[in-house]
Amino acid sequence: MAYTTKALMLMAVLGLAACNNPDRYGAGGGPGDGTGAGGIQTGGLGDASDPRSVAYFNQTVGDRVLFAVDQSTLSDQARATLAGQAQWLNTNSDYAVIIEGHADEQGTREYNLALGARRASAVQDFLISQGVAASRMRTVSYGKERPVEVCSDESCFSRNRRAVTVLSIGAGA
Amino acid sequence: MTCNSPPNARKWLFFPAPHRLKDLNEHTRNERKKDTCMTLLRTLIPALALALSAVSPLATTTAQAEPLRIILDSPVIEPLPFAIPQFIAENGEAGQYAADISRVIASDLVNSGLFREIGSDAFISGITSFDAPVAYNDWQAINAQALITGAVSASGDRIVVKFRLFDVASGQPLGEGLQFAGTPGSWRRMAHKVADAVYSRITSESGYFDSRVVYVEESGPKDNRLKRLAVMDYDGANVAYLTDSSAIVLAPRFSPNGESILFTSYASGFPAIYIMDVATLGIRSLGEQPGTMTFAPRFSPNGQTVVFSLERGGNTDLYTVDVGSGQLNQLTNAPSIETAPSFSPDGSQIVFESDRSGNQQLYIMPANGGEARRISGGPGRYGTPVWSPRGDLIAFTKQNEGRFHIGVMRTDGSNEGLLTASYLDEGPTWSPNGRVIMFTRQGAGAEGQPALFSVDISGRNLRQVPTNGPASDPAWSPLLP
């Protein structure tokens, strides 16, 4: 069956891509907050009481910062969180990071991709200024494709306008 | 031949070239015997075989001096009443096709918003033979202005559809009778071609019914959306899937000849643009630059160049890439966001959005870069501009006071008109004749699903396009050959 064969070939191609894939939203991946089955988060979060654990980074240091509408400027609170992230990353030098930029749904798809990239880049620039090596970091924008909250008012939008620092052990960028 | 290796199958999945017609015909005939293994192929192909149809005149009557006419730019268009008696089945095998083809033609015309069908229960006389004289008085009496008659014959892998269009008021045929021939799998395309011919004769503009739309089908919750590329007839029939949903895919675009599709995928973990050969479903990356993100691709009118956005270090600019050589060319160099580029139909200019003024606005620049002039000037933000195939208008998405709109303006920014308003409308795409716009409309909240809608450039005839599930990012094909 020609079409089936082609579809399988295509799936194989995409599937292979997914295996090398830092995209934690890839095939079978769970939603946003860290324990997706696909991609880099499968290494285990560890015990949140262990200051060297990924869980500690995500929960205690804080893995994300939030932005105002249509802005990529870091607030004072965001800078404080990122300073903590930088300190942790400088201590735990085995980890590489991917910084994800996200937007709320109040915008067109293309613009939000570009806006998410600005946000991720703002975080990366700040971490570099705090001594984290640029070679350990990569950015990616999801635009409005991966909200963590699905209501359509400011209570959700404000949590979706975010940049998330995602750790991966041993995966030097 | 076996089910597993249909020779030349790849060549005829979508738009076979005319010189291959003979091969296609033979292949189709062989393949049809394998009924059990044709099922999936049919979902991809119904379109194709029609290309082998011959179009031949049945009569040479010329139209009268003042033909039946709809002026599309009129401020008010009263739908034109027409009658379409069920096409005559010229043999037993043709019965179902005759009924189905008549219904698709009527549906195309009614859905255009320009025509109103008079139901068969009002008919005074029927059509008993395709070649019998028309009793004009009987059609005038029920206020039909246009009458469409037709006949279908079917034998094996070939069906032939004939039709005639009559101007009832003046009691004359409008144009020649025509016939289309093709395989049974292409019966809907033949119906669309008849409807396009009727539309064209009455409006003096080309139609848009025999066309396809590539789009993104969505499933799953909003915070873990699954997306895959799909293609369908313009009216939602004949859906086929082009990718699986293992990676997010966005914003597919047809090439000018309909043979390739550009899209953005997260297959590598990072958004990047790919080009798919529609016949083989083979994909390759395009314009890839390590450490960057590429998106928002669109073909030039000659299909040899792709214009797109490339993000590096948080900044997004416009580039072109030569499809054949991969040669990159940077068009803009500014700290602002430049995205959503679209070529003019003559290929000389590009319209795009930029926030260089502080928020999103529309600009036009030469196709090789250079000074851009801003064309949008009203309140709110403007994005996703798309140049119409006729060259006269730019369609766009507008955000103002918490609402989204699809609108059109002239290429100098004048005569802005908003066609829609909702919580979230975005991403317009033009019908091949530049008369209809399709776009994504998404409702609010966790249950707010995206769907495809269409609207005339006059703002009339807003309709949801039927799809199997939630759908977004439509892009219209050219009119099929």
Side-chain angles (χ1 to χ4, degrees):
Chain A
M1 180 75 256
Y3 174 65
T4 306
T5 307
K6 275 172 235 155
L8 287 172
M9 284 165 56
L10 183 68
M11 277 186 263
V13 168
L14 294 172
L16 275 177
C19 291
N20 304 320
N21 184 346
D23 176 12
R24 65 202 176 101
Y25 301 115
D33 285 292
T35 54
I40 58 170
Q41 287 284 6
T42 49
L45 294 172
D47 182 343
S49 63
D50 174 1
R52 297 182 61 82
S53 70
V54 173
Y56 181 89
F57 178 86
N58 289 347
Q59 292 163 29
T60 306
V61 177
D63 67 347
R64 65 197 57 203
V65 297
L66 304 180
F67 295 87
V69 176
D70 198 23
Q71 296 299 311
S72 55
T73 310
L74 299 172
S75 65
D76 290 345
Q77 189 184 348
R79 288 165 171 271
T81 300
L82 294 175
Q85 286 187 8
Q87 190 174 21
W88 192 94
L89 288 167
N90 288 335
T91 307
N92 298 278
S93 56
D94 288 348
Y95 288 91
V97 302
I98 290 178
I99 302 156
E100 300 173 353
H102 298 268
D104 66 32
E105 68 185 11
Q106 309 171 94
T108 53
R109 202 176 308 288
E110 297 87 342
Y111 181 82
N112 278 344
L113 276 176
L115 178 60
R118 271 185 180 162
R119 288 173 174 160
S121 187
V123 167
Q124 182 179 38
D125 289 348
F126 187 86
L127 293 176
I128 290 172
S129 77
Q130 300 293 300
V132 181
S135 60
R136 294 172 66 190
M137 294 185 278
R138 238 204 113 161
T139 60
V140 62
S141 175
Y142 285 93
K144 60 176 173 178
E145 301 303 313
R146 284 292 179 263
V148 286
E149 301 290 342
V150 297
C151 75
S152 292
D153 57 47
E154 180 56 21
S155 67
C156 290
F157 295 158
S158 64
R159 296 194 57 199
N160 291 332
R161 293 189 301 264
R162 69 200 193 275
V164 184
T165 304
V166 181
L167 301 175
S168 62
I169 193 155
Chain B
M1 176 166 57
T2 70
C3 288
N4 294 326
S5 58
N8 296 327
R10 291 175 179 191
K11 293 193 177 70
W12 55 281
L13 275 176
F14 275 77
F15 311 123
H19 68 270
R20 296 210 52 89
L21 294 185
K22 186 160 179 297
D23 288 355
L24 293 178
N25 207 358
E26 287 166 359
H27 174 62
T28 306
R29 192 153 35 234
N30 293 335
E31 192 59 24
R32 267 201 88 251
K33 294 171 186 160
K34 310 276 190 282
D35 243 340
T36 53
C37 57
M38 275 300 290
T39 313
L40 263 177
L41 277 173
R42 280 198 185 113
T43 64
L44 259 185
I45 328 172
L48 334 194
L50 179 58
L52 36 125
S53 64
V55 178
S56 58
L58 295 177
T60 53
T61 318
T62 50
Q64 73 275 30
E66 291 183 45
L68 188 61
R69 185 84 196 273
I70 294 173
I71 310 292
L72 288 174
D73 288 321
S74 305
V76 176
I77 294 181
E78 184 67 24
L80 186 149
F82 71 96
I84 180 167
Q86 182 169 313
F87 280 16
I88 291 162
E90 295 193 322
N91 58 14
E93 228 180 304
Q96 194 61 46
Y97 291 118
D100 292 345
I101 287 169
S102 309
R103 286 300 86 213
V104 169
I105 296 166
S107 171
D108 281 346
L109 295 174
V110 169
N111 287 345
S112 75
L114 303 176
F115 298 87
R116 174 171 63 81
E117 184 181 14
I118 297 173
S120 59
D121 51 352
F123 294 176
I124 295 168
S125 63
I127 300 290
T128 51
S129 157
F130 183 64
D131 293 316
V134 169
Y136 288 106
N137 287 344
D138 288 348
W139 302 104
Q140 286 163 358
I142 61 170
N143 294 320
Q145 292 184 30
L147 170 69
I148 303 160
T149 66
V152 181
S153 65
S155 64
D157 66 339
R158 183 175 168 87
I159 58 176
V160 176
V161 180
K162 299 183 283 192
F163 85 97
R164 285 197 178 102
L165 174 63
F166 298 94
D167 178 345
V168 173
S170 65
Q172 296 204 46
L174 185 56
E176 299 173 334
L178 283 181
Q179 78 173 33
F180 301 98
T183 58
S186 62
W187 70 268
R188 292 186 97 265
R189 280 201 59 196
M190 283 185 264
H192 290 320
K193 284 208 176 290
V194 171
D196 276 328
V198 170
Y199 179 102
S200 179
R201 289 177 186 191
I202 294 178
T203 66
S204 298
E205 298 193 12
S206 64
Y208 60 91
F209 305 123
D210 187 25
S211 61
R212 307 206 87 196
V213 171
V214 62
Y215 64 101
V216 173
E217 186 179 282
E218 305 193 10
S219 59
K222 264 188 168 178
D223 58 358
N224 189 27
R225 208 67 166 152
L226 296 176
K227 296 192 169 192
R228 57 177 171 166
L229 295 187
V231 63
M232 64 183 185
D233 294 353
Y234 97 100
D235 60 358
N238 288 325
V239 174
Y241 296 100
L242 304 176
T243 68
D244 64 15
S245 50
S246 61
I248 300 170
V249 286
L250 305 173
R253 312 284 184 215
F254 272 111
S255 64
N257 64 10
E259 292 174 1
S260 306
I261 291 170
L262 290 167
F263 63 105
T264 302
S265 169
Y266 282 72
S268 72
F270 299 91
I273 61 178
Y274 296 85
I275 185 167
M276 171 184 287
D277 181 277
V278 175
T280 65
L281 302 185
I283 59 174
R284 67 181 172 93
S285 68
L286 200 64
E288 196 172 23
Q289 297 287 297
T292 71
M293 191 173 96
T294 53
F295 58 102
R298 216 182 266 277
F299 281 100
S300 66
N302 67 11
Q304 291 166 12
T305 305
V306 169
V307 62
F308 64 102
S309 277
L310 185 149
E311 176 271 342
R312 191 192 305 270
N315 182 38
T316 299
D317 273 307
L318 297 179
Y319 288 69
T320 55
V321 60
D322 184 282
V323 174
S325 69
Q327 178 73 39
L328 276 187
N329 182 28
Q330 184 168 1
L331 302 186
T332 65
N333 187 0
S336 44
I337 289 172
E338 276 71 38
T339 190
S342 169
F343 277 96
S344 60
D346 68 1
S348 68
Q349 299 177 88
I350 290 171
V351 62
F352 63 98
E353 64 170 84
S354 168
D355 68 348
R356 60 186 64 179
S357 72
N359 64 11
Q360 287 167 275
Q361 298 293 336
L362 306 185
Y363 297 80
I364 289 176
M365 68 177 173
N368 56 357
E371 193 172 342
R373 69 175 195 277
R374 176 169 159 179
I375 62 167
S376 56
R381 300 161 60 165
Y382 296 79
T384 71
V386 191
W387 216 303
S388 88
R390 293 148 55 95
D392 54 344
L393 295 171
I394 307 288
F396 55 84
T397 305
K398 175 164 173 159
Q399 285 172 262
N400 192 31
E401 297 179 344
R403 302 278 281 174
F404 277 74
H405 308 271
I406 301 297
V408 292
M409 61 174 65
R410 291 190 185 154
T411 57
D412 63 0
S414 66
N415 283 53
E416 176 179 323
L418 299 182
L419 310 179
T420 72
S422 87
Y423 170 71
L424 208 178
D425 286 347
E426 68 170 310
T429 181
W430 289 95
S431 66
N433 69 352
R435 285 292 177 181
V436 181
I437 288 170
M438 201 179 288
F439 60 97
T440 307
R441 170 167 288 182
Q442 181 171 329
E447 304 306 319
Q449 298 291 356
L452 308 187
F453 279 75
S454 66
V455 66
D456 285 4
I457 56 172
S458 60
R460 289 184 289 252
N461 199 32
L462 177 71
R463 287 171 185 269
Q464 183 169 349
V465 181
T467 50
N468 289 345
S472 58
D473 292 3
W476 222 309
S477 79
L479 205 57
L480 301 185

